[in-house]
Amino acid sequence: MYMDAEDSLQLLEGVGRFARERIASMAKRPQSPINADQLVLLTQEASDLGILPLATEKEGFGIWQHTDAAQAMLFNIGALRHIAYASPGVAFAWHRLALARWVSARFGSAVGPNDLQGMLLVPTGHYGLGRNSLARWLKAGALSRQDTVMLSDWLNRGAHASTIYAPKDWQSLVWPVWSDEQIAWQHVARKDLDVRSDHAQHGLDELTGFTVLQTSTAGQTIKQEEDVSRRAYANMLKLDMLGLLAIGAGALDRGQALAREYAGIRRQGGKLIAEHPAVQHMLSDIEITRHKVDMALAALARPVDELDVGAVAATRASTSPALCHAANQVMQLHGGIGYMRDAGPEKLLRDQNMLKLMSGGTREIHAFLAGWTGA
């Protein structure tokens, strides 16, 4: 389906209105995040509106449903940014849900609404990005024995538990596994996994942390030709990193709005704090980061096949720390109030920190890029 600039703007206007009127109204008290029942309700509403594509065979303009044109990518990025402005946790859950649908559709797995609503994507192995071995496999280079051992261990779902953050009621997951010297995809029901709740969660309070370990051979494994598998995994990784950046950008937009509002009403020393040089410096730091993120996302809003996975990873590695720094500036600008859970800034900082750690984390990207560039 074709999407032009006018279509994209109209669709984004609808997503923005839904985010403001439905999601933001439920998330207006940071100390009481959206609960499991509210998330189920919002997810169903988003599906009814076509924001979330909850069937592989149904055409539409949902998040990540189309990735082959610049306007479609602008919509995907913009939609996640609107949703994250209201709630980064909800945006993350829907991003991974939509990507699970994207993977299922690419591999010919017919998934209906009842199956997809409880499905989630685990995009990487148990830690990091497979050092530089994953990058070498994606470039179709010759793998050493060390590379194959690394990737086999990285994607060994029975030996290493994976940490996920998801709605409480998730029912199945899609994740990559290493099979016959290449990446394949596996769809596994929750009942066939050893699932344990992880209560030591830093951010994304709308979701629950779990550790999952495969305890049986149950589950559908889908393998295709290696070139097809390689391209699909590279594209999924690009979309996941792009989504995390878009969600971080939406959280930054919200933080900047909070900072400007507070600086415009809080007085100290007989004048608004917005007139103090230190506060002006903080506001400028936030603005500089927003421009950096805007330019990065605009440059990456191209058909997914045209994007270089190394360029997307490098952008994420340089941008995510800046997003965390800007969120910290928002909290510092509020003074002591910024540390209070009912104010909002401290949650945005925790959410940005969590986003930085997803998909292998940003610290592991350096090793990935070493393999990608042949260093």
Side-chain angles (χ1 to χ4, degrees), residues 40-353:
V40 169
L41 176 63
L42 288 171
T43 301
Q44 186 58 57
E45 290 179 9
S47 173
D48 294 340
L49 290 171
I51 297 171
L52 279 176
L54 292 187
T56 54
E57 72 279 359
K58 187 176 180 180
E59 283 294 329
F61 290 120
I63 296 171
W64 300 134
Q65 197 160 4
H66 297 280
T67 59
D68 56 354
Q71 288 300 327
M73 293 295 282
L74 281 170
F75 166 75
N76 295 323
I77 292 168
L80 287 173
R81 191 166 182 169
H82 277 308
I83 296 165
Y85 185 96
S87 170
V90 172
F92 178 78
W94 290 357
H95 161 60
R96 287 287 173 83
L97 175 63
L99 268 188
R101 185 260 182 208
W102 184 91
V103 169
S104 298
R106 290 304 173 281
F107 286 96
S109 177
V111 178
N114 292 335
D115 297 318
L116 192 57
Q117 183 144 355
M119 187 185 293
L120 60 98
L121 174 77
V122 180
T124 57
H126 66 93
Y127 178 79
L129 286 168
R131 302 297 292 170
N132 40 34
S133 299
L134 173 64
R136 280 196 283 268
W137 180 77
L138 290 175
K139 291 199 74 171
L143 295 184
S144 66
R145 173 62 179 166
Q146 182 179 359
D147 288 329
T148 57
V149 169
M150 168 64 74
L151 292 172
S152 177
D153 179 73
W154 183 58
L155 295 174
N156 190 330
R157 303 301 182 177
H160 306 290
S162 298
T163 301
I164 62 173
Y165 299 94
K168 287 184 177 180
D169 63 340
W170 67 274
Q171 297 301 313
S172 66
L173 55 79
V174 177
W175 58 14
V177 294
W178 189 250
S179 177
D180 297 330
E181 307 298 308
Q182 72 175 66
I183 288 179
W185 288 94
Q186 195 173 64
H187 182 200
V188 189
R190 182 171 178 167
K191 63 182 178 61
D192 296 319
L193 299 163
D194 179 9
V195 180
R196 303 182 184 186
S197 296
D198 182 2
H199 299 291
Q201 186 170 328
H202 179 69
L204 302 179
D205 300 337
E206 300 84 354
L207 309 177
T208 302
F210 300 92
T211 56
V212 294
L213 188 69
Q214 193 166 28
T215 56
S216 72
T217 58
Q220 178 189 15
T221 300
I222 302 172
K223 291 193 294 185
Q224 292 191 327
E225 293 183 3
E226 188 171 9
D227 287 345
V228 175
S229 178
R230 185 180 287 114
R231 176 185 170 192
Y233 188 84
N235 284 347
M236 181 282 302
L237 193 60
K238 288 181 271 187
L239 294 178
D240 190 44
M241 290 189 286
L242 263 177
L244 294 174
L245 286 175
I247 296 167
L252 170 65
D253 293 338
R254 176 58 178 157
Q256 185 175 43
L258 289 174
R260 286 175 171 173
E261 180 183 6
Y262 188 74
I265 60 173
R266 177 74 167 91
R267 288 183 171 272
Q268 188 172 359
K271 59 182 179 181
L272 292 172
I273 63 170
E275 299 175 25
H276 289 272
V279 172
Q280 292 171 353
H281 182 86
M282 292 179 184
L283 289 170
S284 296
D285 260 359
I286 299 166
E287 179 70 6
I288 290 167
T289 301
R290 189 182 66 80
H291 278 292
K292 180 179 182 178
V293 174
D294 286 348
M295 290 188 292
L297 289 175
L300 296 173
R302 308 203 316 268
V304 67
D305 280 333
E306 296 180 9
L307 294 172
D308 179 84
V309 67
V312 179
T315 301
R316 184 177 177 228
S318 64
T319 305
S320 293
L323 288 167
C324 292
H325 172 72
N328 186 62
Q329 293 290 63
V330 172
M331 190 173 73
Q332 296 294 332
L333 184 146
H334 282 75
I337 293 175
Y339 290 83
M340 302 294 104
R341 289 202 167 224
D342 59 352
E346 69 87 31
K347 183 181 186 303
L348 290 175
L349 177 57
R350 291 189 290 109
D351 288 347
Q352 292 283 19
N353 288 337

